[in-house]
Amino acid sequence: MTTLVSPQGASEVINARRTESLDAPSILKLVQPETENLFGLVNVVNLIEKAVLAVTLSNEKDEVLGHAAFFDYPNVASVDQSKWEDWLGAFFDCKNCTPLNTLFLHYFVAKREYSHGVAREIVRTMFNAVPEMHFCFLIVPNGAFPDSALANIFKPLDKLEGVKGPDNCVVFLCHRHNHVPVLHIRQARVEDHDDLTPIFNRQSDMLKMTYGDFFLAELIEAQDENMQCLIAEVEGTAIGFMSVCNIVNTGLLNECFELGPYHGLSKPHPDDELEAPKTPTPSPPTEPEQMSDDKPASGRSSATDRSTDSKQQESTMDDGRKDETEKTEEMKSEAGKSEVTGTASKVSQSVTGTADTETRVKPKLSEAALGESSSSLLSHGSDHGSQKSATSQDKPESAKSSRAAASPPAQSLSPKPVTPMIPKPRKRFVPKYKGEPNAFCIQLFIIDERYEMRSMDFLPKAFEMFPDRDFCAMTVPHLVPEFPLLQKFMRATPRCPSILSQELYLFHGAGLLKDFRVRPACTSDSESVEKLVSSLDLHENLIADLQQFNKARRDDDGTEIQAYVATCNQKVVGIAVVRIEEDIEYIRSHYNIEDFIYYNHHRRDEHGHLYHFALNPAFAHFSKHFLKEILRQGHKTCLYYPVYPPFTSREVVGKHSLVSAMNDMVPVRPRRQITYPLEVLGSNAPSERVLQTKEQYSLCHINRKLTLEPKVVINARIVVVGASDTGVALLETFVFCPHLRFNNLTLISPHGLPGEMPPDEVRDQMMGTSHCYSQDEYTQTSLRTWVNVVYGKMTAIDRKKKNVVVNNSTLVPYDHLIICTGQQYQIPAPTEADISRLATSNEAPNSPDRWFRGTPPKNVFVVNDAYDAAVTLYWVENHLVNSPGKALVYGNCLDAYCCVQTLMSMGITGDRIILVEPPLNYQTTCFNNETVDAAVLKAMKDAGIEVYSGYLLAQWNDGKGGEEVITASFTSSTKPIRLECEAFFSYYKKKVDYEAFRAINDACLVFDGRLVIDASFHTNDVSIRGAGTITKFQRRYHADQWTHSNFNLKEVGIQLANTMLSLFDPTLESEREPPQEIVNLIPMYRSPKIQGGYLPGGYYYLHIGKPSLNVPLDVQMAQRDCGAEWITGTPGGTPDYFRLHMNQYKTVETVTCLSKQPIDTSNIICLYGLHERYLNDPAQRCVVYGSNDFYSYFRQPWCLAVYHDRFADFRDEVRELLVTRPADGVEALEEKVRQLIDEDLQMNDSQKKNLKNEFSTSRSKRAVETRLLSFLSYNYYHLPMYAKPGMV
């Protein structure tokens, strides 16, 4: 906060922030007559949209006092933005001005009485926000002169001797040193203690408490050749301190982090062991170790207390430093020399396991791209062999081959904690470096908050202290926010196993060089580029594109290619290849790019497609500048990069390679698509560019505004156990926070992330679906790009050390643990009732609900996810289909009926299928609809399926055991039955997995049938949260019947993520501890509970309903406030069955569909929660007009806008119009309605008529109509079937 004082003495407390497009009206109010003379007539929204930095000053009332827009090229129409250096250099002596350190002021307005203070504060903010900037130009037309506010800051630039200067403009310049000068760095003296002590005390008292009051003076006094202390000084006062030491335990760091690209932080030595021996000698397993957080990281390097960031100092460097690029140009290829980067068994957290662990770990793509040879767009396997085969395949996997790939050995079906069908990974090779250490470390660092953006000024002096070292290292605890100094460092990837519970950051001395430039590639760069990218996945695509660029500057089909190289001291250190984005209409219609840009302000040719991007890790902090230069020199404003799923064929991936800039880009959310009735729309359908069918991918994006906007980096280790809908929604919410970057998101799941297997319709039909996520949605979110995956089961939790044990061997450390494993079908446990004595279920000696702890028969299957379904179908395809034996399905849930239909789809006739239904868990069936129940039962009977209801499993093979089930015995309330079968499919009661229960119970987390949580998801451990069907609420809520199972699990996961974001997001109010609940109420959720599936008889089933308890449908409809239902069609008839239920408020509350034809699911789901008026009164049409087919009714063109993904936003906007007062003293329409309801509870016809008349004559009606037309016009590419004004 800063206070501005006007010449009249008035003062304003102002805040500087980035400009938003919503500020445009306020900015226009500040425009003065001289503004247009200086900057011309400009479109302010367009200026904000394309500026690399736009700053607004506002007061405490959020009133805009000033605004400035900065670009990276001059605002001179005759100057090509990619060639401004040549233009400026032709007239002025500005050889030190480069795109790296120069910006141009394109627009400035301010409130007149505060203009001088506003101008100074904006310029100061700009230099603080962008530490690399040292020069800011102001260019105005001839005849115009800056007003006094700007004239005090910008001074005329001296022309070259004998040069006239540009004809049409005048150039002014502002220097950094006049506003935010580079800090003076010197060696520390003992007398600096008094200046530094207050800074230390403000930020931390830990060191004082540990080492005493004079620890700083003692540290300064102890300086020697191995340890030096540096001081940042401003006007004779010390404002910052850094202690550096050249004693670094590089061996320990190499054991704990992936340091192959940095040569292990050691000097090259002829005895270095960089490659794994051909016949490695196995080493005995060792016990996993975990170091406590307060244990030193590397010698004295873990004493870091506080730190901050900035830009490198302008002072000249030692000549030897200029040759650093020669030492770093091979850093990229270094990764290829060592197998340490060739396997995919590392995770962003420190994951510790025994030497022969059977746990597989898959790192996120965004991190693995940097210097890792194992990174692959096509496949990211755990060993070289599988990866090579995946990347070399020419065709995508078929459904049959994907099931074959998932086929297990027989013993893999046992319920052991070890993940089935995951090959045991090889012991990882860790290189050994024999050379001298090549790094020094920062022991202690602190700086006054006012100067923290200049933290980088310390580094030139630090490297000068140890000229023989190339790297600077710093370790920090995971929960320490990434301060400005670390933003310029490279984060090292933790190795598995790791015994160091801290983050390691590195900086290469070459990064201090200021000669970082970007230019178009040329033929002479080819050799350097090949050497740079030799270890990257699909680098051959990059080389081919570079050759094509050098050859013709465009593809064979005429598409323009743009290739740029980044150089430092004339050495190539980076390469990027861009083409125009040809599918921008498809991207706009399928992805929410308008969360980041105003589409209409960008020309079609300003959208670029990033195909390749590689940058030497030593210059990783210049990555965003490289992207900014690509946009400037390529005349682009936006770049897009697709990430395809691992099963995508090489032809689809095309010419891409895995880029190393994904952390600088933002993931873009996919958009829900309308299912169009194309046969009805005809020529009124959207264009082919919108409707085209393409291979699905997730999208990353960056634009000019984002190139100078840093992300908040979160290093907290967040571990999610379970890939349930809740867990996936939680991770998705974290990943799609554009201003946050979570470095340590980890998922623990037996089969990894869902959606990683190739699409297979039959496999997906084997289970019902909640419609929370589809295969396409999994692909379009691509969590594998941002989330590390540990394959295995949670078998224990060490709450004291904060470790999760996976597969009884691997330790996964956490700071925040989220348990959302859900409930699964388990191997059923026979009650062991003796049916030879005609025992009934009540006489069974054991409960059917207990866990089965023996070795299950080989032909007993439980299907809980797509992976289990693929395994099961492979066995069915290869054993059951061609044999005469029968399949027995045990269960009465939706999944059981889907399994029956899938078996018939696989070619097994109905007379070979037996369905045994256990007694109902609740009063209702899984459909809770007699019509659906009867239709499914009739279809099964017609197919010849044997159906037995009310039976519990008593014995397998008459209790004699055996490796396979030949017979199964069941008891009921009357007589038992004995059935022969060749395969047994169990869908009996989902419950908590035994391994998860044991881990939770042994960790002393409260477990009462399920994991007990409060309304804020907290367990009895503040670091552990729970969500999903594994949880129940504490008994103090007196809501034992309500659990997360009653709600939409995706919404539950999103709510959990939003609750946790307050811990990490600085824009939200932080939560120090769980809030105290004033009223013991459980949270309620609004999204519908959905289930669907493919049922016997070839029925497609969909049910959408509000979250509720399991109450029989007839009981619900008998209640007075239940509303009314309308039903059209019959199951299997013409039309098919469609039930629409509206509550007493005429709002859609339940939809049930049972059809022989595929259902437009995404459209029908949109009906939930809509008032009948939005749907043209379907009930009235059903009764009055005799409309007997809701399927065709809801496919009519008029209702397509209702299915649009932005229709909910439009409804909110309309409501906002009706609740907002049109003028002071005039009541809003909603206020009038509330008054009438408060008086009489119900309005009579006269009151309704008066309200309608008042609305018709008010400005609100016109505003609503205008908003509707605006909605249809803006989304016309999706909704061309609606007429616009002037068309008719």
Side-chain angles (χ1 to χ4, degrees):
M1 294 288 185
T2 305
T3 302
L4 298 182
V5 180
S6 70
Q8 292 76 27
S11 64
E12 289 277 9
V13 177
I14 55 99
N15 176 53
R17 58 174 173 81
R18 288 180 179 268
T19 307
E20 301 173 354
S21 297
L22 295 177
D23 295 322
S26 300
I27 293 172
L28 288 173
K29 294 178 181 178
L30 301 177
V31 174
Q32 306 293 336
E34 58 269 21
T35 303
E36 186 175 337
N37 295 333
L38 282 177
F39 303 107
L41 189 61
V42 300
N43 183 325
V44 173
V45 176
N46 188 67
L47 203 71
I48 297 171
E49 182 68 14
K50 296 184 178 180
V52 293
L53 179 65
V55 180
T56 289
L57 296 188
S58 58
N59 61 15
E60 293 176 306
K61 299 178 182 178
D62 205 28
E63 297 172 342
V64 174
L65 300 182
H67 160 77
F70 299 92
F71 283 68
D72 53 353
Y73 57 85
N75 51 335
V76 180
S78 59
V79 178
D80 188 333
Q81 66 183 46
S82 64
K83 297 184 171 75
W84 66 261
E85 290 179 272
D86 297 336
W87 173 80
L88 207 59
F91 301 105
F92 305 98
D93 181 13
C94 53
K95 58 181 179 296
N96 291 329
C97 299
T98 68
L100 179 63
N101 62 20
T102 303
L103 285 180
F104 296 83
L105 179 63
H106 277 218
Y107 200 68
F108 173 81
V109 292
K111 198 171 183 178
R112 187 178 294 276
E113 56 266 34
Y114 298 104
S115 59
H116 288 75
V118 166
R120 287 194 304 271
E121 185 62 22
I122 283 180
V123 169
R124 191 189 69 82
T125 300
M126 181 271 295
F127 282 125
N128 257 334
V130 192
E132 291 84 3
M133 290 303 125
H134 285 266
F135 307 99
C136 183
F137 286 92
L138 170 64
I139 302 178
V140 300
N142 276 333
F145 194 82
D147 60 18
S148 59
L150 293 177
N152 289 339
I153 297 174
F154 291 88
K155 304 301 179 183
L157 187 61
D158 295 331
K159 304 182 187 65
L160 291 174
E161 187 176 350
V163 176
K164 179 183 178 182
D167 296 329
N168 56 348
C169 60
V170 181
V171 180
F172 297 82
L173 177 62
C174 168
H175 292 272
R176 162 182 284 280
H177 58 75
N178 293 325
H179 301 274
V180 186
V182 173
L183 298 179
H184 172 61
I185 308 298
R186 60 169 173 80
Q187 200 156 359
R189 299 187 291 264
V190 174
E191 50 266 30
D192 296 319
H193 173 270
D194 293 341
D195 292 336
L196 296 172
T197 298
I199 302 175
F200 273 96
N201 292 340
R202 283 199 304 270
Q203 299 185 16
S204 173
D205 58 358
M206 182 184 67
L207 293 175
K208 178 180 177 181
M209 294 172 60
T210 304
Y211 299 108
D213 293 334
F214 301 101
F215 75 94
L216 194 56
E218 295 169 358
L219 183 63
I220 295 174
E221 196 172 20
Q223 294 181 83
D224 56 26
E225 60 181 7
N226 296 321
M227 191 272 290
Q228 298 288 329
C229 297
L230 303 177
I231 289 294
E233 188 179 68
V234 174
E235 297 180 353
T237 301
I239 53 88
F241 175 85
M242 177 182 285
S243 173
V244 290
C245 176
N246 65 0
I247 301 176
V248 180
N249 190 341
T250 56
L252 174 64
L253 295 179
N254 188 52
E255 289 289 332
C256 299
F257 297 92
E258 301 279 0
L259 300 181
Y262 318 111
H263 202 79
L265 302 182
S266 300
K267 302 283 188 182
H269 192 279
D271 295 333
D272 288 340
E273 299 177 16
L274 302 180
E275 296 183 359
K278 294 182 180 180
T279 55
T281 303
S283 58
T286 58
E287 290 296 324
E289 297 179 22
Q290 280 290 68
M291 294 180 65
S292 60
D293 287 348
D294 57 351
K295 191 167 183 178
S298 53
R300 300 146 118 180
S301 68
S302 65
T304 307
D305 178 65
R306 173 82 173 94
S307 156
T308 45
D309 150 350
S310 188
K311 147 88 177 115
Q312 55 264 33
Q313 191 173 346
E314 277 295 316
S315 58
T316 57
M317 300 172 57
D318 185 65
D319 291 339
R321 183 66 60 200
K322 295 182 180 180
D323 297 326
E324 292 289 356
T325 48
E326 298 178 3
K327 302 177 183 179
T328 60
E329 63 178 328
E330 299 182 6
M331 287 179 64
K332 272 285 189 179
S333 60
E334 193 69 46
K337 299 179 181 178
S338 169
E339 257 188 42
V340 68
T341 59
T343 63
S345 54
K346 67 183 176 62
V347 68
S348 185
Q349 290 84 347
S350 304
V351 181
T352 309
T354 57
D356 57 349
T357 176
E358 299 186 37
T359 304
R360 186 164 64 111
V361 183
K362 183 184 290 187
K364 56 186 178 180
L365 288 181
S366 60
E367 182 174 86
L370 194 61
E372 296 291 336
S373 60
S374 63
S375 308
S376 174
L377 279 173
L378 294 170
S379 176
H380 209 55
S382 62
D383 59 79
H384 294 295
S386 62
Q387 178 173 293
K388 183 176 180 180
S389 62
T391 55
S392 61
Q393 62 188 4
D394 294 328
K395 297 181 180 179
E397 292 184 72
S398 65
K400 184 173 181 179
S401 65
S402 71
R403 293 199 288 268
S407 62
Q411 64 271 22
S412 67
L413 296 173
S414 62
K416 296 180 180 179
V418 176
T419 307
M421 291 156 295
I422 301 301
K424 183 176 178 179
R426 297 172 296 181
K427 177 175 172 61
R428 300 195 60 193
F429 169 73
V430 177
K432 290 182 172 54
Y433 302 95
K434 307 302 176 97
E436 293 295 319
N438 195 27
F440 64 90
C441 65
I442 297 176
Q443 288 182 305
L444 186 63
F445 175 67
I446 198 164
I447 192 170
D448 192 308
E449 296 92 335
R450 294 172 298 172
Y451 303 96
E452 62 180 3
M453 296 305 294
R454 298 304 314 166
S455 302
M456 280 286 290
D457 295 340
F458 276 97
L459 290 187
K461 188 70 173 181
F463 276 97
E464 185 181 312
M465 295 290 100
F466 306 108
D468 60 325
R469 305 293 173 97
D470 291 331
F471 288 93
C472 175
M474 176 185 283
T475 60
V476 294
H478 292 285
L479 295 181
V480 172
E482 190 177 79
F483 39 84
L485 177 64
L486 291 186
Q487 292 173 3
K488 302 301 180 183
F489 278 56
M490 302 167 284
R491 176 179 172 269
T493 303
R495 192 188 296 279
C496 172
S498 172
I499 59 174
L500 187 61
S501 59
Q502 293 196 346
E503 294 282 350
L504 173 65
Y505 284 83
L506 303 171
F507 187 89
H508 194 281
L512 296 174
L513 298 175
K514 309 204 180 338
D515 188 29
F516 185 89
R517 295 180 178 271
V518 178
R519 58 169 174 78
C522 58
T523 306
S524 60
D525 297 324
S526 299
E527 183 178 351
S528 299
V529 170
E530 288 184 21
K531 189 174 182 180
L532 177 72
V533 304
S534 60
S535 65
L536 295 183
D537 174 65
L538 297 180
H539 66 277
E540 60 275 7
N541 292 344
L542 192 159
I543 300 301
D545 279 349
L546 180 61
Q547 292 173 348
Q548 183 68 24
F549 171 78
N550 287 328
K551 175 184 176 182
R553 294 296 193 268
R554 58 187 65 247
D555 287 322
D556 294 335
D557 61 1
T559 303
E560 182 185 6
I561 305 176
Q562 295 175 325
Y564 300 96
V565 294
T567 65
C568 187
N569 281 2
Q570 308 301 317
K571 303 287 186 180
V572 174
V573 297
I575 175 70
V577 177
V578 176
R579 292 177 173 84
I580 189 174
E581 180 52 76
E582 298 286 357
D583 295 322
I584 189 58
E585 292 83 5
Y586 177 88
I587 288 177
R588 184 195 185 192
S589 62
H590 285 72
Y591 298 88
N592 267 313
I593 59 172
E594 285 160 306
D595 287 346
F596 306 100
I597 65 172
Y598 277 81
Y599 181 82
N600 292 337
H601 288 274
H602 299 262
R603 300 193 313 271
R604 194 174 190 278
D605 62 351
E606 290 182 327
H607 297 275
H609 187 116
L610 183 64
Y611 279 78
H612 312 284
F613 185 97
L615 184 62
N616 189 309
F619 303 93
H621 57 293
F622 289 136
S623 179
K624 275 195 172 182
H625 174 70
F626 193 1
L627 291 169
K628 178 165 67 74
E629 280 297 279
I630 293 171
L631 293 172
R632 178 180 70 86
Q633 297 189 31
H635 296 81
K636 299 288 187 289
T637 58
C638 304
L639 287 178
Y640 306 92
Y641 177 75
V643 179
Y644 290 93
F647 50 79
T648 309
S649 68
R650 199 179 191 92
E651 287 78 7
V652 174
V653 173
K655 300 177 179 179
H656 297 85
S657 64
L658 189 58
V659 303
S660 61
M662 276 194 284
N663 278 331
D664 297 316
M665 307 179 84
V666 292
V668 185
R669 283 189 179 275
R671 296 180 63 180
R672 177 175 46 79
Q673 297 299 300
I674 301 172
T675 302
Y676 294 97
L678 298 179
E679 68 283 355
V680 177
L681 294 175
S683 60
N684 290 325
S687 71
E688 185 60 31
R689 287 182 176 271
V690 173
L691 294 178
Q692 62 180 314
T693 301
K694 297 176 69 69
E695 194 79 20
Q696 297 296 326
Y697 56 83
S698 70
L699 186 69
C700 296
H701 164 76
I702 193 168
N703 57 56
R704 293 180 56 81
K705 291 184 296 185
L706 297 177
T707 54
L708 291 182
E709 185 172 336
K711 293 183 181 181
V712 177
V713 176
I714 312 298
N715 283 326
R717 296 167 296 183
I718 302 173
V719 177
V720 178
V721 183
S724 60
D725 288 338
T726 306
V728 172
L730 169 80
L731 292 170
E732 179 191 8
T733 305
F734 282 158
V735 162
F736 283 94
C737 289
H739 61 291
L740 303 180
R741 186 172 83 229
F742 290 88
N743 277 333
N744 289 328
L745 289 177
T746 299
L747 173 70
I748 299 174
S749 173
H751 304 142
L753 284 163
E756 295 288 279
M757 301 179 69
D760 183 346
E761 185 178 8
V762 177
R763 181 197 69 214
D764 294 340
Q765 290 174 348
M766 195 169 187
M767 297 183 66
T769 174
S770 65
H771 289 287
C772 290
Y773 291 95
S774 65
Q775 175 77 28
D776 286 349
E777 288 173 319
Y778 284 130
T779 298
Q780 290 173 325
T781 54
S782 186
L783 293 181
R784 74 186 187 118
T785 307
W786 315 100
V787 178
N788 304 287
V789 181
V790 179
Y791 290 77
K793 281 188 175 182
M794 174 181 70
T795 53
I797 303 173
D798 187 337
R799 290 171 55 190
K800 184 176 181 181
K801 296 182 178 179
K802 289 193 173 183
N803 291 322
V804 176
V805 182
V806 179
N807 293 348
N808 292 320
S809 60
T810 302
L811 298 183
V812 181
Y814 68 86
D815 296 308
H816 300 278
L817 177 63
I818 298 95
I819 300 175
C820 48
T821 58
Q823 295 181 318
Q824 295 81 32
Y825 299 113
Q826 308 291 330
I827 298 292
T831 62
E832 299 178 357
D834 188 356
I835 68 167
S836 64
R837 299 181 181 180
L838 301 180
T840 64
S841 296
N842 293 332
E843 299 169 347
N846 296 307
S847 169
D849 296 333
R850 72 191 195 282
W851 279 294
F852 181 84
R853 298 303 302 148
T855 301
K858 295 179 180 179
N859 59 342
V860 174
F861 300 93
V862 290
V863 178
N864 288 302
D865 57 18
Y867 184 85
D868 291 337
V871 171
T872 302
L873 290 179
Y874 177 81
W875 191 93
V876 170
E877 194 173 28
N878 289 275
H879 296 83
L880 188 59
V881 170
N882 300 319
S883 69
K886 293 188 175 183
L888 192 155
V889 180
Y890 179 46
N892 58 10
C893 58
L894 175 63
D895 294 329
Y897 298 118
C898 291
C899 177
V900 169
Q901 175 60 27
T902 302
L903 292 175
M904 289 194 289
S905 300
M906 293 290 289
I908 300 174
T909 56
D911 59 351
R912 293 178 54 201
I913 300 175
I914 305 170
L915 175 65
V916 179
E917 298 179 331
L920 291 174
N921 296 334
Y922 306 99
Q923 303 175 25
T924 65
T925 65
C926 62
F927 302 115
N928 195 15
N929 185 306
E930 292 183 357
T931 303
V932 179
D933 286 329
V936 173
L937 181 60
K938 181 180 183 300
M940 291 191 294
K941 292 292 182 65
D942 292 345
I945 298 172
E946 299 179 52
V947 180
Y948 301 90
S949 299
Y951 286 85
L952 290 174
L953 177 64
Q955 291 179 333
W956 281 326
N957 300 334
D958 299 323
K960 299 177 182 179
E963 292 186 351
E964 294 187 354
V965 172
I966 300 174
T967 64
S969 303
F970 298 86
T971 59
S972 68
S973 58
T974 55
K975 63 178 181 179
I977 57 174
R978 181 176 180 274
L979 303 171
E980 294 184 355
C981 63
E982 188 172 339
F984 190 103
F985 303 89
S986 177
Y987 293 92
Y988 175 77
K989 281 188 183 179
K990 286 186 174 183
K991 58 184 178 181
V992 178
D993 179 74
Y994 176 75
E995 299 290 347
F997 157 73
R998 192 177 66 178
I1000 292 169
N1001 191 63
D1002 292 350
C1004 297
L1005 297 175
V1006 179
F1007 191 91
D1008 182 14
R1010 302 186 188 189
L1011 178 64
V1012 177
I1013 61 171
D1014 64 13
S1016 300
F1017 305 96
H1018 288 281
T1019 64
N1020 56 304
D1021 187 321
V1022 70
S1023 299
I1024 302 177
R1025 293 170 174 80
T1029 57
I1030 194 177
T1031 63
K1032 64 176 295 186
F1033 293 110
Q1034 296 172 358
R1035 291 183 182 268
R1036 65 188 173 94
Y1037 295 105
H1038 303 287
D1040 291 347
Q1041 290 182 301
W1042 287 94
T1043 68
H1044 286 166
S1045 304
N1046 299 103
F1047 303 108
N1048 184 300
L1049 295 177
K1050 181 177 181 179
E1051 186 183 13
V1052 172
I1054 293 172
Q1055 183 59 41
L1056 171 56
N1058 291 333
T1059 301
M1060 294 186 64
L1061 279 176
S1062 61
L1063 299 172
F1064 313 115
D1065 192 343
T1067 64
L1068 302 176
E1069 185 177 351
S1070 61
E1071 177 186 301
R1072 296 292 181 182
E1073 58 185 26
Q1076 292 186 351
E1077 300 173 21
I1078 302 175
V1079 181
N1080 290 332
L1081 295 176
I1082 64 172
M1084 300 302 290
Y1085 302 91
R1086 297 182 179 275
S1087 296
K1089 182 83 172 170
I1090 307 171
Q1091 65 175 9
Y1094 188 49
L1095 303 179
Y1099 289 112
Y1100 293 91
Y1101 169 70
L1102 174 68
H1103 176 78
I1104 307 163
K1106 75 171 184 179
S1108 63
L1109 300 176
N1110 291 298
V1111 179
L1113 180 60
D1114 54 352
V1115 176
Q1116 295 180 32
M1117 299 306 298
Q1119 297 175 3
R1120 294 180 59 185
D1121 59 350
C1122 70
E1125 65 176 1
W1126 287 269
I1127 299 175
T1128 64
T1130 57
T1134 305
D1136 286 302
Y1137 179 79
F1138 194 117
R1139 176 179 179 267
L1140 186 69
H1141 168 227
M1142 293 189 181
N1143 60 22
Q1144 69 269 35
Y1145 304 113
K1146 308 295 185 182
T1147 297
V1148 176
E1149 194 168 89
T1150 310
V1151 179
T1152 304
C1153 300
L1154 191 69
S1155 173
K1156 291 279 189 177
Q1157 301 299 321
I1159 301 170
D1160 297 336
T1161 303
S1162 63
N1163 289 359
I1164 300 300
I1165 291 175
C1166 296
L1167 301 179
Y1168 177 81
L1170 292 181
H1171 193 272
E1172 64 177 1
R1173 292 300 178 88
Y1174 283 111
L1175 306 175
N1176 282 343
D1177 296 322
Q1180 184 180 18
R1181 292 175 182 273
C1182 182
V1183 175
V1184 178
Y1185 299 104
S1187 175
N1188 62 350
D1189 185 3
F1190 277 153
Y1191 288 101
S1192 60
Y1193 178 76
F1194 289 118
R1195 287 194 184 105
Q1196 294 176 11
W1198 63 264
C1199 63
L1200 294 181
V1202 171
Y1203 308 142
H1204 197 273
D1205 62 320
R1206 292 174 180 163
F1207 186 73
D1209 296 332
F1210 165 70
R1211 290 169 55 200
D1212 293 339
E1213 291 173 1
V1214 170
R1215 176 167 176 78
E1216 186 68 24
L1217 290 174
L1218 300 181
V1219 301
T1220 304
R1221 292 191 172 192
D1224 292 339
V1226 180
E1227 289 184 328
L1229 187 64
E1230 187 200 40
E1231 292 178 296
K1232 298 177 182 178
V1233 174
R1234 287 188 181 277
Q1235 288 177 5
L1236 293 174
I1237 294 177
D1238 291 341
E1239 293 173 0
D1240 301 322
L1241 295 182
Q1242 289 187 346
M1243 291 186 291
N1244 55 42
D1245 293 339
S1246 175
Q1247 290 172 326
K1248 291 180 180 178
K1249 184 177 180 180
N1250 290 335
L1251 280 175
K1252 289 181 180 178
N1253 291 335
E1254 188 171 341
F1255 174 72
S1256 299
T1257 58
S1258 69
R1259 288 185 293 177
S1260 297
K1261 181 177 184 295
R1262 180 59 182 165
V1264 170
E1265 292 174 346
T1266 302
R1267 192 63 57 91
L1268 173 61
L1269 292 175
S1270 175
F1271 168 76
L1272 294 175
S1273 177
Y1274 191 77
N1275 297 290
Y1276 199 68
Y1277 55 93
H1278 270 151
L1279 304 170
M1281 65 289 304
Y1282 292 91
K1284 294 191 294 186
M1287 294 179 62
V1288 292

